[in-house]
């Protein structure tokens, strides 16, 4: 056989054998991997069907209530020199809660963009990486559940203190100010409680697609999926993850700005 013809056959065979075996990584809309949590919405929004309707954020009233809940408790403390209105312990507990929220939220936001980059590398994706990522968000959900229990307990405690105030003591004006300040703080904590519930529910929509990605990866390496089907399904799950990580970013960003 002519050598040139032989090598042409080898080249053609190699092309058909290997060209379809390449799994490409997810292409982020910003043109590169995410570098910080701020990149999450920039990357996610272009994947939405209707970007203008896919934004979830806090209402101005919620931002006001959550942000100023600590301020109004501190205001009650300042109205007496001997903790007459019982707000000092509540204020300190809320301050500690805000610090914990700030720390946990910042860690989770940083892990979010790192995990997006990791899952988006389809060509090197493996089961250990997916399992570790999924377990991280299961643990994050548990941590938020513990914080939400703290919020619930704090609401109950503050309401008890408010209800036990002596009417018109030391006078009607101060009593009404204290009562109003307590009510604003309680409303803020109830808004915060709702935010935590939304975040916890949102974690389900991160954990579930990661479970699907894990199964896809197993099926692919068991030769139950070809490269094209595998990549196509990963792209679908990646878009779903981006949308849900963006919801987490929008819901939790405020929590990292309260101290």
């Amino acid at each position: 056989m002519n050598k040139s013809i032989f090598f042409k056959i080898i080249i053609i065979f190699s092309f058909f054998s290997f060209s379809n075996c390449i799994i490409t990584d997810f292409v982020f809309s910003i043109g590169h991997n995410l570098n910080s949590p701020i990149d999450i919405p920039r990357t996610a929004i272009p994947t939405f069907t209707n970007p203008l309707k896919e934004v979830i954020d806090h209402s101005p009233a919620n931002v006001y209530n959550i942000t100023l809940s600590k301020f109004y408790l501190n205001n009650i403390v300042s109205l007496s020199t001997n903790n007459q209105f019982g707000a000092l312990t509540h204020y300190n507990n809320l301050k500690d809660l805000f610090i914990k929220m700030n720390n946990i939220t910042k860690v989770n936001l940083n892990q979010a963009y790192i995990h997006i980059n990791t899952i988006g590398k389809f060509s090197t994706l493996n089961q250990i990486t997916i399992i570790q990522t999924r377990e991280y968000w299961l643990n994050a959900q548990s941590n938020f559940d513990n914080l939400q229990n703290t919020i619930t307990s704090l609401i109950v405690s503050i309401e008890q203190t408010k209800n036990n105030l002596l009417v018109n003591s030391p006078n009607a004006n101060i009593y009404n100010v204290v009562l109003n300040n307590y009510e604003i703080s309680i409303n803020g904590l109830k808004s915060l409680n709702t935010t935590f519930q939304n975040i916890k529910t949102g974690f389900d929509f991160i954990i579930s697609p990661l479970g699907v990605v894990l199964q896809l990866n197993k099926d692919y390496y068991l030769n139950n999926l070809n490269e094209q089907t595998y990549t196509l399904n990963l792209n679908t799950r990646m878009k779903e993850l981006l949308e849900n990580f963006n919801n987490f970013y929008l819901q939790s960003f405020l929590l990292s700005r309260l101290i």
Side-chain angles (χ1 to χ4, degrees):
M1 181 184 293
N2 186 290
K3 287 186 177 180
S4 63
I5 295 175
F6 175 77
F7 284 116
K8 286 179 181 179
I9 292 173
I10 293 295
I11 292 171
I12 293 171
F13 176 79
S14 299
F15 176 78
F16 283 106
S17 297
F18 301 111
S19 62
N20 291 329
C21 295
I22 298 174
I23 297 175
T24 56
D25 295 337
F26 187 82
V27 180
F28 296 113
S29 61
I30 57 177
H32 56 75
N33 283 347
L34 285 68
N35 295 319
S36 75
I38 296 174
D39 285 335
I40 294 174
R42 295 176 55 228
T43 306
I45 288 177
T47 69
F48 299 161
T49 303
N50 189 341
L52 294 179
K53 292 185 178 180
E54 296 284 356
V55 176
I56 300 175
D57 208 346
H58 299 280
S59 69
N62 280 347
V63 172
Y64 175 87
N65 287 334
I66 293 171
T67 303
L68 294 181
S69 57
K70 188 173 71 171
F71 167 82
Y72 281 103
L73 280 179
N74 189 45
N75 192 44
I76 297 171
V77 173
S78 69
L79 289 174
S80 73
T81 57
N82 59 353
N83 194 31
Q84 178 180 352
F85 308 110
L88 183 59
T89 299
H90 303 317
Y91 171 77
N92 288 331
N93 288 339
L94 184 57
K95 185 169 64 174
D96 290 342
L97 176 64
F98 278 4
I99 292 171
K100 289 178 182 177
M101 284 191 311
N102 175 76
N103 294 339
I104 289 176
T105 302
K106 283 185 176 178
V107 169
N108 285 335
L109 285 171
N110 282 323
Q111 283 299 320
Y113 88 84
I114 291 171
H115 285 162
I116 289 170
N117 289 336
T118 301
I119 299 299
K121 294 188 184 302
F122 298 162
S123 58
T124 57
L125 202 55
N126 60 75
Q127 291 175 34
I128 293 176
T129 298
I130 303 167
I131 290 170
Q132 288 175 339
T133 303
R134 190 169 181 271
E135 285 181 348
Y136 178 90
W137 292 104
L138 282 167
N139 289 332
Q141 190 175 46
S142 178
N143 289 335
F144 269 77
D145 188 53
N146 291 334
L147 284 175
Q148 188 179 25
N149 289 337
T150 301
I151 295 169
T152 302
S153 297
L154 189 53
I155 291 172
V156 171
S157 180
I158 294 175
E159 285 181 331
Q160 288 175 343
T161 301
K162 184 198 77 169
N163 294 335
N164 289 332
L165 289 174
L166 296 176
V167 178
N168 296 333
S169 176
N171 60 62
N173 288 335
I174 292 180
Y175 170 80
N176 288 329
V177 169
V178 171
L179 193 67
N180 183 61
N181 281 201
Y182 266 133
E183 288 174 349
I184 293 174
S185 296
I186 291 168
N187 287 336
L189 287 172
K190 287 181 177 178
S191 295
L192 189 61
N193 195 45
T194 300
T195 297
F196 266 75
Q197 186 58 50
N198 291 339
I199 291 173
K200 280 170 50 186
T201 302
F203 281 146
D204 289 334
F205 298 102
I206 292 173
I207 294 164
S208 178
L210 287 171
V212 177
V213 170
L214 178 61
Q215 188 59 52
L216 287 169
N217 189 261
K218 288 179 180 177
D219 289 343
Y220 172 69
Y221 283 103
L222 288 172
N223 295 318
N224 293 331
L225 291 177
N226 60 37
E227 288 81 4
Q228 183 178 7
T229 303
Y230 178 57
T231 305
L232 183 64
N233 279 282
L234 285 179
N235 271 286
T236 300
R237 297 286 81 79
M238 194 65 197
K239 291 175 182 178
E240 185 179 352
L241 281 168
L242 280 171
E243 181 172 356
N244 294 323
F245 271 121
N246 183 60
N247 290 343
F248 167 65
Y249 172 88
L250 293 173
Q251 288 283 350
S252 64
F253 188 74
L254 173 64
L255 306 184
S256 65
R257 293 292 184 273
L258 294 176
I259 62 172

